[in-house]
Amino acid sequence: MSKGSFSQGVGEWIGAAEVYDADGRFAGMGRDTRSVKADDQAGRVTVEVEFDGPFSLSGVYTIVDHGSHRTYEGPLNIGYAEAMGDGLVVAHNYWPDLGLSQRFFLMVLPDGTHQLSLALLSRGDRLRWTVVGEYQRQVDPSDPKPPPVAPMDPQALGDDPTAGRGELLLLRAGRWSGQLHRLDADYAPTGPADYTETVIQQGDSWEVGLSGADYSPGLTFTLLSDGWTAWTPEGDLMGSGSLSGGRGFSGQLHLHRQGLRVWRREVVSRDGTIKAVLHIWYRGEQRLGAAYGALAFEPA
């Protein structure tokens, strides 16, 4: 896959987002629709957004597509994004109407008609909302719209870290496998590689084994979790992260002996069959490379 503009994002997208508060509690569903139109001659993209949920947002913003990156020109959304491939965009942007900064990734799945996303919305360094999004492309405006997702009651689910699913989809016994696209420090592609994560539950902890595609193949590490967060004890790979309904993860893990850390962001589909992963590796603040892709789940 060549590095370039985020060409697969153009179209009409209808989605359902799960919104979690700063403590990771389910706050409510968001109905999210986006119309993304491109003017190929001008290299500009116009996005019309309508989001209704625990917070509301609507309006239009313009994107200037520079190929390897994009600038959000407002008025609704202002910021900068890197197109890490035709199916992935990673953004740092600001929503003036909300007064919130956003760290965001959105991936088009291999079928080309579905997207998964994870948005961390903060004021300063204080997290306000985490939004786990799943979208379907409306290929033909005359086609029936996707049926709404079954309602989820925040009053009933606010104290349930699984958001009513009965299990943390990211921490199930089984194996995640697929190909990840590898990128160098400048996000130029270096080729795909097979990748697997094997998860074995052992009482109140999980043993996770990694194989392929990044700086940590062949490692096994332990994860502990209270349902809202996950963390490791001392070991070869150490760190922690936040869980959102068991579907979204964002956190940092460290390969201490190599002086490396990885910012891992992951989102599982509502049906639990596939997850979008983005791993960006650093030494200090120096970016070394990244790997991303979609992994399929096989239960144990």
Side-chain angles (χ1 to χ4, degrees):
M1 178 180 292
S2 63
K3 183 179 180 184
S5 62
F6 183 58
S7 59
Q8 294 189 50
V10 173
E12 306 291 325
W13 296 92
I14 298 176
E18 295 176 11
V19 182
Y20 296 86
D21 67 17
D23 294 322
R25 267 59 179 174
F26 178 69
M29 295 294 297
R31 181 70 172 173
D32 193 357
T33 60
R34 285 181 285 117
S35 173
V36 184
K37 299 179 181 179
D39 181 344
D40 293 333
Q41 294 181 343
R44 301 175 74 86
V45 177
T46 300
V47 183
E48 185 173 354
V49 173
E50 186 73 35
F51 185 93
D52 185 26
F55 62 89
S56 296
L57 190 67
S58 64
V60 176
Y61 62 94
T62 300
I63 297 171
V64 179
D65 191 341
H66 303 278
S68 62
H69 68 279
R70 331 164 89 198
T71 52
Y72 296 76
E73 304 292 328
L76 187 68
N77 185 9
I78 297 169
Y80 183 94
E82 292 181 282
M84 297 174 69
D86 290 338
L88 175 66
V89 66
V90 180
H92 289 260
N93 55 300
Y94 182 67
W95 301 98
D97 288 356
L98 299 175
L100 296 174
S101 300
Q102 177 176 258
R103 294 167 290 166
F104 175 75
F105 92 90
L106 184 146
M107 185 182 298
V108 179
L109 297 181
D111 65 7
T113 64
H114 290 84
Q115 297 176 343
L116 292 174
S117 66
L118 183 67
L120 307 175
L121 293 159
S122 304
R123 183 163 293 146
D125 290 329
R126 183 179 180 182
L127 182 65
R128 184 66 182 90
W129 306 106
T130 299
V131 182
V132 180
E134 185 164 342
Y135 306 89
Q136 182 174 331
R137 188 194 298 269
Q138 188 80 359
V139 178
D140 188 330
S142 64
D143 289 342
K145 294 186 182 299
V149 175
M152 299 166 63
D153 182 2
Q155 296 298 321
L157 300 177
D159 292 327
D160 180 358
T162 74
R165 283 177 278 268
E167 60 182 349
L168 301 169
L169 296 182
L170 282 164
L171 293 179
R172 291 173 291 164
R175 184 177 73 164
W176 296 97
S177 62
Q179 279 199 333
L180 297 188
H181 301 281
R182 296 176 297 175
L183 308 174
D184 65 14
D186 297 320
Y187 286 163
T190 60
D194 293 334
Y195 180 83
T196 62
E197 294 180 359
T198 303
V199 182
I200 301 172
Q201 187 167 2
Q202 297 184 342
D204 295 331
S205 67
W206 292 263
E207 296 295 319
V208 182
L210 306 179
S211 175
D214 58 19
Y215 294 85
S216 56
L219 280 181
T220 300
F221 62 98
T222 300
L223 268 180
L224 307 173
S225 177
D226 58 7
W228 314 103
T229 59
W231 65 95
T232 72
E234 185 176 359
D236 293 327
L237 189 65
M238 297 177 289
S240 64
S242 299
L243 292 167
S244 299
R247 282 187 61 201
F249 178 86
S250 179
Q252 309 263 356
L253 298 173
H254 301 262
L255 272 174
H256 177 66
R257 291 185 178 87
Q258 291 90 336
L260 304 179
R261 66 179 171 90
V262 57
W263 184 10
R264 291 171 65 112
R265 284 172 279 177
E266 306 182 348
V267 175
V268 180
S269 60
R270 284 190 301 272
D271 64 8
T273 62
I274 193 168
K275 74 171 176 177
V277 304
L278 171 61
H279 302 163
I280 304 179
W281 287 87
Y282 299 87
R283 176 172 284 116
E285 295 303 315
Q286 178 187 7
R287 188 174 67 202
L288 300 180
Y292 73 91
L295 305 179
F297 184 70
E298 302 172 37

